[in-house]
Amino acid sequence: MKSEKISDAVVRRLPVYLRYLNELSRREVPTVSSQELGQKLDLNPAQIRKDLAYFGDFGRKGIGYDVSYLIEKIRQILNLDQQINVALVGAGNLGQALSNYNAYLKDNMKIVAIFDTSAEKIGTQINSITVQPIEELVDTVRRNHVRIGIITVPNIEAQRVADQLVEAGIGAILNFAPTILKVPSDVRVHAADFTTDLMSLAYYLNAGKEVTVDES
Amino acid sequence: MKSEKISDAVVRRLPVYLRYLNELSRREVPTVSSQELGQKLDLNPAQIRKDLAYFGDFGRKGIGYDVSYLIEKIRQILNLDQQINVALVGAGNLGQALSNYNAYLKDNMKIVAIFDTSAEKIGTQINSITVQPIEELVDTVRRNHVRIGIITVPNIEAQRVADQLVEAGIGAILNFAPTILKVPSDVRVHAADFTTDLMSLAYYLNAGKEVTVDES
């Protein structure tokens, strides 16, 4: 089922598909075409068919994709059929904002622990989770089988936090600090720095009008 | 210079190159090889050479890239040689956290206005910017030639805010609300929803170990 050659770009689109499919499921829509997915998600339908074909032969000509079946398959592919515990390191504005998203994290994926160095924050509750001192990170992460760490500490603390997460056996890090982390090759890091998002958007400010007319 | 066929993935990597090149420039390093860039940024050197070749013939065999020249070129490509004003809509925890990044937004790209609907927030200062009522959005965005809008309002308000930004003539939106926005085709939207980031990371929790060993 799971190919070794799936690009990061494809993997990043799967949760976007899943989100819209979940919406369709709530509205009890039984099937969806790649055209409709493409229109809704601003993606080329051929791209969508190609993305989903990586994982198996899901679609049926003239009918489209079975929504429930596709949800189940994408959840399996993304390992979302397993319990995935997440730890958040840094309880500042950003950390607090991110913990609010726990409500959107479906199913088995949840922020289960929050850490900070500040005496004012330690012991307070954020969305029902008690902020723990960073000294408890390694032990708590191990005990709760946390598999993903989110880093929202200042730049200068980010590498040290990453080292502790790695020591505790984490498999992936979502890094909001605008710095490049050094981790072993079996730990996956995604940079969530929004300044790079903003800068890449700037590219389209001039290019946008010429490009979008001719495409798709 | 600017090709019509540059993929979004390439455009998204350019700010990452730029960030590291700026670091090299601060350290007064004159040249850098694609090997060194690749090692530092966890990217294949051939990929980096290909990315940069889209925009012209920057590198020199055996010497590498001239750091200052490459910084200047990437800034031009990303339109960062122009003044780019940004407006932030939503002054909650996330909005406040993002406005802190203003310090990292180099050069001409700055958050210049913040809007909210809450009477408690309107009139307060966040990083020296006074929060304005959302009713002033269209007028303020036009008057300040704001070109990018950041949406950090709750889901149910996001589309209405997007409509107002579009009405005011914005060219691009960075959307943190976990919902899909409808905008005209000449407005570029990037979804910055971190739940999709987290879900795509989950993919690598099992796949990671097998995949990384054989690659590059």
Side-chain angles (χ1 to χ4, degrees):
Chain A
M1 169 67 69
K2 196 172 276 180
S3 159
E4 312 282 293
K5 289 287 181 193
I6 297 157
S7 80
D8 188 47
V10 177
V11 171
R12 282 175 184 263
R13 282 193 288 270
L14 292 177
V16 179
Y17 299 147
L18 186 59
R19 186 166 57 195
Y20 181 56
L21 290 165
N22 280 327
E23 191 185 315
L24 291 175
S25 175
R26 273 193 300 277
R27 282 162 32 204
E28 299 183 0
V29 177
T31 57
V32 63
S33 66
S34 55
Q35 280 75 16
E36 191 192 332
L37 280 169
Q39 195 170 22
K40 186 73 185 179
L41 303 174
D42 194 21
L43 281 166
N44 189 305
Q47 178 68 66
I48 292 174
R49 288 192 297 273
K50 196 177 156 212
D51 284 358
L52 298 178
Y54 273 110
F55 303 102
D57 189 17
F58 295 138
R60 290 212 279 157
K61 277 219 171 70
I63 298 173
Y65 297 95
D66 181 294
V67 170
S68 313
Y69 184 73
L70 195 49
I71 287 173
E72 189 194 328
K73 283 295 166 191
I74 294 180
R75 280 172 40 81
Q76 281 174 10
I77 290 159
L78 291 175
N79 297 316
L80 296 176
D81 54 347
Q82 305 167 28
Q83 172 84 22
I84 297 184
N85 289 338
V86 179
L88 176 69
V89 192
N93 276 321
L94 184 57
Q96 289 183 41
L98 295 179
S99 75
N100 291 333
Y101 280 80
N102 237 356
Y104 295 106
L105 290 171
K106 282 284 172 99
D107 314 308
N108 303 325
M109 188 180 240
K110 285 281 174 238
I111 296 170
V112 297
I114 303 178
F115 303 94
D116 205 286
T117 53
S118 150
E120 291 157 42
K121 280 170 193 150
I122 292 164
T124 62
Q125 294 244 324
I126 298 178
N127 290 309
S128 313
I129 300 167
T130 304
V131 178
Q132 294 177 256
I134 202 127
E135 290 74 19
E136 296 178 6
L137 188 151
V138 173
D139 191 48
T140 303
V141 162
R142 281 186 184 149
R143 209 173 45 241
N144 292 285
H145 306 291
V146 171
R147 303 177 71 189
I148 298 180
I150 304 173
I151 296 181
T152 61
V153 299
N155 247 348
I156 47 158
E157 297 173 26
Q159 184 61 55
R160 197 156 38 93
V161 167
D163 293 344
Q164 288 178 275
L165 288 169
V166 167
E167 185 193 337
I170 217 128
I173 292 173
L174 183 58
N175 178 31
F176 283 85
T179 188
I180 295 156
L181 300 175
K182 280 270 173 210
V183 298
S185 65
D186 61 346
V187 175
R188 182 85 190 182
V189 177
H190 282 185
D193 170 21
F194 105 113
T195 62
T196 57
D197 276 335
L198 267 188
M199 288 188 207
S200 65
L201 269 179
Y203 172 80
Y204 296 99
L205 288 177
N206 283 352
K209 275 165 195 171
E210 300 125 51
V211 173
T212 49
V213 176
D214 300 319
E215 278 189 355
S216 90
Chain B
M1 170 68 69
K2 197 172 280 184
S3 159
E4 312 281 295
K5 290 288 180 193
I6 297 157
S7 79
D8 188 48
V10 176
V11 171
R12 283 177 183 261
R13 281 194 289 269
L14 292 177
V16 178
Y17 299 148
L18 185 59
R19 186 167 59 195
Y20 182 56
L21 290 165
N22 280 327
E23 191 186 315
L24 290 175
S25 175
R26 273 192 301 277
R27 281 161 35 202
E28 300 184 357
V29 176
T31 58
V32 65
S33 67
S34 56
Q35 280 75 14
E36 191 192 333
L37 280 169
Q39 194 169 23
K40 187 73 184 176
L41 303 174
D42 194 21
L43 281 166
N44 188 305
Q47 178 68 66
I48 292 173
R49 289 193 297 273
K50 197 178 154 210
D51 285 358
L52 298 177
Y54 273 109
F55 304 101
D57 189 18
F58 296 137
R60 291 211 279 156
K61 277 220 170 69
I63 298 172
Y65 297 95
D66 181 296
V67 170
S68 313
Y69 184 73
L70 194 49
I71 287 173
E72 188 193 327
K73 283 294 165 192
I74 294 181
R75 281 171 41 79
Q76 281 173 10
I77 290 161
L78 291 175
N79 297 316
L80 297 175
D81 52 347
Q82 306 166 27
Q83 172 84 19
I84 297 184
N85 289 338
V86 179
L88 176 68
V89 192
N93 276 322
L94 184 57
Q96 288 184 43
L98 295 179
S99 75
N100 291 333
Y101 280 81
N102 237 357
Y104 295 105
L105 289 171
K106 281 286 172 98
D107 314 309
N108 303 324
M109 188 180 242
K110 283 281 174 241
I111 296 170
V112 297
I114 303 177
F115 303 94
D116 205 286
T117 53
S118 150
E120 292 157 42
K121 281 170 191 149
I122 292 164
T124 62
Q125 295 244 326
I126 298 178
N127 290 310
S128 313
I129 300 168
T130 305
V131 179
Q132 295 177 254
I134 202 127
E135 290 74 19
E136 297 178 5
L137 188 151
V138 173
D139 191 49
T140 303
V141 162
R142 280 186 183 148
R143 207 172 48 242
N144 291 286
H145 306 292
V146 171
R147 302 177 71 189
I148 298 180
I150 304 173
I151 296 181
T152 62
V153 299
N155 247 349
I156 47 158
E157 296 173 26
Q159 184 60 56
R160 196 157 40 93
V161 167
D163 293 344
Q164 288 178 275
L165 288 168
V166 168
E167 186 193 336
I170 217 127
I173 292 173
L174 183 58
N175 178 30
F176 283 86
T179 188
I180 295 156
L181 300 175
K182 280 271 172 209
V183 298
S185 65
D186 61 346
V187 175
R188 183 85 190 183
V189 177
H190 281 185
D193 170 21
F194 105 113
T195 61
T196 57
D197 275 336
L198 267 188
M199 287 188 211
S200 66
L201 269 179
Y203 172 80
Y204 296 98
L205 288 179
N206 283 351
K209 275 165 193 169
E210 300 123 53
V211 173
T212 49
V213 176
D214 301 320
E215 277 188 353
S216 92

